[in-house]
């Protein structure tokens, strides 16, 4: 399956134009922004098309009930029975999930693979952790970090995309969806105790739960604080004391309402931003809970908007508390002496704070997993029980299409009251976030992007949370270390020519694509950048060949060790359509003298049975990293800082192993192969190249992993790169 060769370089694909430096780096990517030309759609679409919702059904032991039929479900919207127009069982993260969701919206079913079966995890799961660090104690922060690290080490699969986010934004630039575990671990490392506890400065201290009890005229709690106030202020009238207690409570609730309102808005924004991503998304909401003042705040409206955001984006929320088991203590949390038990107990305060977590989970079709010390097990159990669901869709009547109203959804299995059915409990007929004050949705303006300045549209494309797809764009960033130069980062971006608008001008097909790129460090600070144009002039007879290739742009910079994200964008100058792509790359610090490797540079070329291992035919770097069965994958890497044996002429002793994984399972594993060093002029930079036949591997997504073992220093290093076989 694998041929080894010591060819020292892979030739890059033809470069269209040379690099040029931009004048100004765009700002740090925002926390949430929906691109104007995003290809995703709301999961809830209220029109003449179908409206869809996903449903999970479990028995009393929490086992998913399989093999249910559409006629077994009773679906109601605002209490009115609905005819189920579409029904299918869906495996979350499967290659068919996106096509099934499109079919439920009336957009066609798409195609399955040749066997008609789902390809397991070939697309992967989309998982968000939303850390409510506004309501976490220091102990809960530590437990949260430990559980998340365990999740990354044990549960993140090959094609999964994971984002670690926080309510306060303290994670910063690393709050991004990624499959890079280094980025995930760095994001977890930034979760720290924030100490946003809301308390007044008077004695005895009043908790938010106690303030809510006072607001609801709980006479026991009011009497407790009034008695303390009268005892400490002889001569004060009782009515004045009562008024002061109410003022204290009201001020506390105002602080709490503002904090909770921002929390729910941030959660809604997170879910809303994921609407353009395919498939169902899972959000873990980790919080100790908060007090919901439903009487005088708009918190219930915020909960409804969060529910609507979950419905429109296809998101299910599971709430969890890192607090652990309740202590069951009866002592008051106020810190004051309460001999007559007038104040809420610790247990009742905890339950009051957890009630919003239960509401959010139930409203979004998830579950509240509280009062447990087994946070890791709760996460694992959630991943299992959300792996399969039923997709239901119905055609709304005229009344259900009236704008503005929040529609209630109910679903159950007829004749099976013992079964637990989880479904989002509602949605707004029209998106409340995109409707103007008069209740009308602004009309689409397809010419807006074309009319906007190219630099503005490119900056938006680059800094958007998720890549834009209107103009298919790819990036491949890799580093190597060169003598007298040091670490060098090479960025190659490509644009699909099929979506570029061409016009016949002077007998040739002409067009222009604006390209730009930025390199961010892990703090979100922009450094190196480029901006240029790709001009296209293709003769009619050359147009078919042009369409079968890509437009390439090449850029190189010297760079310091560290973790970086490369962001590139492209814009069709005629239509204004944009595309973007991102990639993380880690530059090792070679000054530490530890064993390290360059990036894996990969490309493909047609399989040639007569070719021998000694031949060094150049191949094009594959920016998209997509290959056909009739190709061979060729790669090259460099091993740095390999230790040399004793003696002036001693050479390093390095062995390498190549593995290819699919769904985290090795499908190719080679024996250790000693890296040949005879005749190499530079023992500090040892090249290794090899190629792999792809004709024996099925269609799917893979990971190429190469490990170097320094047998003298007893150390190792590895590099990985993803690729796809079509």
């Amino acid at each position: 399956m694998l041929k080894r060769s010591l060819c020292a370089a892979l030739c890059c694909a033809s470069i269209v134009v040379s690099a040029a430096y931009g004048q100004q780096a765009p700002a740090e990517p925002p926390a949430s922004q929906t691109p104007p030309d995003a290809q995703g759609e709301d999961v809830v679409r209220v029109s003449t098309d179908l409206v869809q919702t996903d449903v999970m059904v479990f028995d009393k032991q929490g086992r998913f009930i399989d093999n249910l039929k559409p006629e077994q479900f009773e679906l109601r919207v605002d209490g009115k029975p609905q005819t189920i127009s579409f029904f299918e069982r869906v495996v979350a993260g499967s290659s068919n999930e996106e096509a099934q969701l499109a079919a439920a919206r009336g957009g066609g079913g798409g195609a399955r693979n040749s066997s008609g079966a789902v390809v397991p995890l070939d697309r992967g799961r989309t998982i968000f952790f939303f850390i409510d660090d506004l309501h976490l104690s220091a102990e809960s922060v530590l437990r949260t970090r430990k559980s998340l690290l365990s999740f990354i080490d044990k549960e993140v699969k090959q094609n999964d995309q994971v984002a670690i986010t926080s309510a306060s934004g303290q994670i910063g630039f690393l709050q991004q969806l990624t499959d890079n575990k280094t980025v995930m671990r760095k994001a977890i490392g930034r979760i720290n105790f924030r100490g946003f506890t809301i308390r007044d400065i008077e004695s005895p201290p009043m908790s938010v739960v106690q303030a809510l009890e006072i607001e609801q005229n709980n006479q026991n709690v009011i009497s407790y604080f009034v008695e303390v106030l009268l005892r400490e202020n002889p001569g004060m009238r009782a009515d004045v004391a009562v008024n002061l207690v109410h003022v204290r409570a009201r001020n506390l609730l105002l602080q709490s309402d503002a904090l909770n309102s921002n929390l729910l808005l941030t959660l809604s924004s997170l879910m809303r931003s994921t609407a353009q991503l395919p498939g169902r998304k899972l959000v873990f909401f980790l919080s100790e809970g908060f007090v919901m003042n439903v009487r005088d705040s708009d918190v219930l409206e915020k909960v409804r908007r969060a529910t609507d955001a979950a419905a429109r984006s296809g998101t299910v929320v599971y709430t969890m508390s890192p607090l652990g088991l309740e202590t069951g203590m009866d002592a008051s949390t106020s810190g004051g002496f309460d001999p007559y038990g007038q104040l809420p107990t610790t247990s009742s305060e905890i339950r009051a704070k957890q009630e919003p977590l239960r509401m959010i989970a139930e409203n979004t079709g998830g579950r509240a997993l509280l009062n447990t010390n087994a946070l890791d097990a709760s996460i694992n159990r959630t991943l299992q029980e959300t792996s399969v669901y039923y997709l239901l869709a119905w055609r709304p009547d005229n009344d259900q299409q009236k704008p503005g109203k929040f529609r209630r959804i109910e679903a159950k299995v007829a004749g099976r009251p013992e079964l637990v059915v989880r479904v989002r409990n509602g949605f707004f007929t029209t998106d409340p976030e995109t409707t103007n004050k008069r209740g009308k949705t602004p009309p689409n303006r397809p010419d807006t992007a074309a009319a906007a300045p190219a630099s503005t549209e490119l900056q938006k494309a680059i800094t958007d949370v998720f890549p834009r797809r209107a103009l298919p764009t790819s990036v491949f960033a890799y580093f190597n270390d060169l003598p007298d130069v040091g670490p060098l980062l090479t960025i190659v971006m490509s644009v699909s020519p099929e979506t570029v608008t061409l016009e016949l001008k002077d007998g040739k097909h002409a067009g222009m694509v604006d390209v730009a790129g930025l390199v961010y460090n892990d703090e979100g600070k922009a450094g190196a950048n480029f901006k240029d144009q790709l001009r296209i002039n293709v003769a009619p007879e050359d147009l078919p060949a042009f369409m079968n290739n890509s437009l390439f742009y090449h850029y190189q910079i010297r760079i310091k060790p560290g973790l970086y994200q490369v962001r590139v964008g492209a814009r069709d100058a005629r239509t204004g359509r944009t595309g973007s792509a991102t990639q993380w790359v880690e530059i090792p610090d070679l000054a530490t003298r530890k064993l390290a490797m360059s990036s894996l540079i990969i490309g493909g070329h047609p399989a040639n049975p007569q070719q021998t291992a000694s031949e060094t035919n150049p191949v094009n770097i594959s920016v998209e990293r997509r290959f056909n069965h009739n190709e061979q994958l060729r790669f090259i890497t460099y091993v740095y800082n390999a230790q040399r044996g004793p003696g002036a002429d001693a050479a390093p002793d390095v062995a390498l192993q190549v593995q290819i994984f699919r769904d985290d399972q090795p499908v190719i594993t080679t024996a250790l192969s000693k890296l040949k060093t005879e005749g190499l002029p530079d023992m500090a930079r040892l090249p290794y190249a090899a190629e792999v036949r792809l004709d024996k591997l099925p269609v799917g997504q893979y990971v190429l992993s190469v490990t170097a073992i320094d047998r003298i220093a007893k150390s190792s290093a590895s590099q990985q790169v993803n690729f796809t076989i079509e």
Side-chain angles (χ1 to χ4, degrees):
M1 294 292 291
L2 182 145
K3 295 189 207 174
R4 183 172 173 276
S5 171
L6 282 177
C7 91
L10 290 172
C11 295
C12 179
S14 300
I15 305 304
V16 179
V17 291
S18 60
Y21 288 89
Q23 300 300 313
Q24 185 176 1
E28 176 180 332
S32 176
Q33 182 177 343
T34 302
D37 58 359
Q39 298 302 296
E41 299 175 336
D42 286 347
V43 171
V44 169
R45 282 172 41 180
V46 182
S47 64
T48 56
D49 293 332
L50 300 180
V51 181
Q52 72 181 45
T53 188
D54 49 276
V55 178
M56 296 182 293
V57 184
F58 302 94
D59 61 17
K60 292 182 178 180
Q61 287 72 42
R63 295 172 298 199
F64 183 80
I65 303 300
D66 218 332
N67 301 316
L68 292 176
K69 306 299 181 184
E71 57 270 18
Q72 294 178 264
F73 281 88
E74 291 183 2
L75 179 67
R76 295 177 180 270
V77 177
D78 290 341
K80 296 173 60 177
Q82 302 294 314
T83 299
I84 297 175
S85 303
F86 181 93
F87 179 88
E88 193 157 358
R89 176 185 181 274
V90 182
V91 177
S94 70
S95 61
N96 286 335
E97 184 181 19
E98 186 175 0
Q100 290 171 306
L101 291 170
R105 291 193 296 264
R112 293 173 179 262
N113 62 17
S114 58
S115 66
V118 170
V119 180
L121 291 183
D122 242 4
R123 187 176 60 78
R125 303 166 297 186
T126 305
I127 303 169
F128 292 83
F129 285 91
F130 182 69
I131 314 301
D132 178 16
D133 50 356
L134 305 177
H135 301 98
L136 284 185
S137 64
E139 294 78 8
S140 289
V141 167
L142 293 177
R143 281 193 287 268
T144 296
R145 292 172 62 173
K146 181 181 177 181
S147 294
L148 292 183
L149 289 172
S150 175
F151 165 79
I152 291 173
D153 292 336
K154 300 176 182 178
E155 297 298 330
V156 175
K157 306 303 181 185
Q158 174 182 315
N159 300 313
D160 290 345
Q161 294 280 325
V162 178
I164 312 295
T165 67
S166 71
S168 72
Q170 64 172 307
I171 298 174
F173 185 72
L174 299 181
Q175 293 191 153
Q176 298 188 46
L177 205 59
T178 181
D179 62 354
N180 189 308
K181 292 187 177 182
T182 299
V183 178
M184 298 178 204
R185 293 188 182 97
K186 274 187 168 287
I188 293 170
R190 293 184 180 177
I191 302 173
N192 295 302
F193 174 61
R194 304 295 286 175
F196 280 101
T197 303
I198 299 175
R199 285 190 181 276
D200 61 358
I201 59 175
E202 299 184 44
S203 179
M206 181 185 295
S207 71
V208 179
V209 172
Q210 294 162 359
L212 184 59
E213 292 288 334
I214 292 171
E215 189 75 1
Q216 295 174 348
N217 283 318
N218 184 320
Q219 292 303 314
N220 286 334
V221 180
I222 294 173
S223 296
Y224 172 84
F225 283 96
V226 168
E227 290 168 4
V228 172
L229 196 58
L230 293 175
R231 187 166 56 248
E232 294 180 351
N233 297 274
M236 178 180 288
R237 292 192 347 237
D239 60 332
V240 174
V242 170
N243 183 62
L244 290 175
V245 168
H246 277 283
V247 169
R248 286 180 62 189
R250 189 59 183 160
N251 287 336
L252 272 179
L253 290 177
L254 287 174
Q255 297 177 54
S256 175
D257 290 347
L259 194 66
N260 298 337
S261 179
N262 288 332
L263 170 69
L264 293 172
L265 286 174
T266 303
L267 176 62
S268 296
S269 178
L270 170 66
M271 293 189 292
R272 194 170 292 278
S273 71
T274 70
Q276 59 191 289
L277 298 175
R280 188 172 66 161
K281 280 74 67 176
L282 174 61
V283 173
F284 289 101
F285 182 3
L286 277 72
S287 172
E288 288 184 7
F290 52 94
V291 177
M292 184 178 291
N293 181 14
V294 298
R295 181 173 295 182
D296 290 330
S297 74
D298 61 349
V299 66
L300 283 180
E301 176 66 14
K302 295 295 192 302
V303 171
R304 281 194 291 266
R305 292 196 175 215
T307 303
D308 178 77
R312 293 183 181 278
S313 60
T315 303
V316 58
V317 180
Y318 273 67
T319 55
M320 298 180 175
S321 174
L323 188 63
L325 290 171
E326 293 184 21
T327 62
M329 296 174 58
D330 292 328
S332 169
T333 58
S334 68
F337 183 58
D338 182 25
Y340 303 110
Q342 295 172 281
L343 301 179
T345 64
T346 300
S347 296
S348 61
E349 289 218 358
I350 291 175
R351 286 192 294 271
K353 291 179 180 178
Q354 290 180 348
E355 184 56 32
L357 301 183
R358 300 181 193 277
M359 180 182 296
I360 291 170
E362 292 175 1
N363 287 1
T364 59
R367 188 153 66 100
L369 300 173
L370 310 170
N371 305 323
T372 175
N373 290 325
L375 191 59
D376 293 8
S378 297
I379 293 174
N380 297 342
R381 186 165 66 253
T382 299
L383 294 173
Q384 293 173 4
E385 70 179 47
T386 57
S387 62
V388 183
Y389 60 91
Y390 293 106
L391 189 61
L392 312 181
W394 71 95
R395 195 172 301 280
D397 58 29
N398 292 333
D399 183 64
Q400 291 174 11
Q401 297 184 56
K402 292 180 180 178
K405 186 176 179 181
F406 188 80
R407 305 293 176 179
R408 296 285 181 182
I409 300 176
E410 300 172 88
K412 64 180 181 179
V413 179
R416 302 286 302 275
E418 78 281 4
L419 299 182
V420 177
V421 179
R422 299 202 186 106
V423 61
R424 299 181 193 90
N425 70 2
F427 62 94
F428 285 103
T429 307
T430 53
D431 188 348
E433 301 299 326
T434 58
T435 303
N436 59 29
K437 293 182 179 179
R438 294 184 178 181
K440 298 180 180 180
T441 301
N444 291 327
R445 295 291 302 277
D447 59 334
T448 301
S455 58
T456 301
E457 283 304 306
L458 270 177
Q459 178 172 324
K460 288 181 179 179
I462 291 172
T463 58
D464 271 343
V465 177
F466 304 115
R468 296 192 181 188
R469 303 299 186 192
L471 188 66
T473 304
S474 301
V475 64
F476 184 37
Y478 62 91
F479 86 93
N480 55 0
D481 187 79
L482 299 181
D484 303 322
V485 176
L488 185 70
L489 178 63
T490 301
I491 302 170
V492 185
M493 64 176 292
S494 67
V495 179
S496 174
E498 301 161 343
T499 52
V500 177
T501 304
L502 303 178
E503 60 178 344
L504 199 60
K505 190 175 183 180
D506 298 330
K508 290 188 176 182
H509 296 279
M512 186 167 63
V513 177
D514 302 306
V515 296
L518 279 166
V519 180
Y520 291 92
N521 65 13
D522 61 0
E523 296 291 338
K525 296 180 180 178
N529 62 92
F530 63 85
K531 182 165 55 177
D532 215 320
Q533 291 181 330
L534 307 180
R535 297 183 179 273
I536 304 167
N537 284 286
V538 182
E541 63 271 18
D542 296 329
L543 188 61
F546 170 78
M547 289 297 177
N548 288 330
N549 291 283
S550 296
L551 298 170
F552 293 94
Y553 190 86
H554 177 268
Y555 180 75
Q556 287 185 316
I557 54 168
R558 294 178 59 184
I559 198 164
K560 297 178 180 179
L563 180 65
Y564 298 91
Q565 186 181 58
V566 176
R567 288 175 167 254
V568 300
R571 176 184 181 273
D572 185 339
R574 184 172 178 82
T575 65
R577 287 196 303 265
T578 58
S580 60
T582 64
Q583 181 186 333
W584 289 95
V585 59
E586 190 171 12
I587 312 298
D589 187 359
L590 299 182
T592 62
R593 310 308 302 168
K594 294 181 179 179
L595 188 72
M597 296 173 62
S598 73
S599 300
L600 296 177
I601 307 169
I602 66 172
H605 69 98
N608 184 359
Q610 279 72 45
Q611 181 177 330
T612 65
S614 61
E615 291 176 320
T616 57
N617 295 330
V619 297
N620 292 336
I621 290 178
S622 177
V623 180
E624 299 86 358
R625 286 161 282 172
R626 306 183 76 90
F627 304 99
N628 295 320
H629 271 289
N630 61 353
E631 289 186 290
Q632 291 190 172
L633 183 150
R634 179 177 292 182
F635 68 89
I636 186 170
T637 185
Y638 289 83
V639 179
Y640 305 119
N641 291 337
Q643 189 170 318
R644 302 176 67 172
D649 299 328
D653 182 6
V654 176
L656 290 104
Q657 184 176 60
V658 178
Q659 288 184 294
I660 291 182
F661 294 86
R662 187 184 187 195
D663 295 341
D664 293 306
Q665 299 300 316
V667 294
I668 294 177
T669 300
T670 68
L672 285 176
S673 176
K674 181 178 173 61
L675 195 155
K676 295 181 180 180
T677 59
E678 294 84 355
L680 292 179
D682 186 359
M683 293 295 175
R685 299 169 180 84
L686 306 175
Y688 178 82
E691 53 187 39
V692 182
R693 289 177 55 183
L694 303 178
D695 56 343
K696 302 297 183 183
L697 298 177
V699 170
Q701 296 183 15
Y702 295 86
V703 172
L704 170 66
S705 176
V706 180
T707 301
I709 301 173
D710 187 337
R711 292 191 278 212
I712 297 176
K714 302 291 190 293
S715 61
S716 64
S718 63
Q719 285 284 1
Q720 294 184 337
V721 64
N722 299 328
F723 69 95
T724 302
I725 299 178
E726 300 176 328

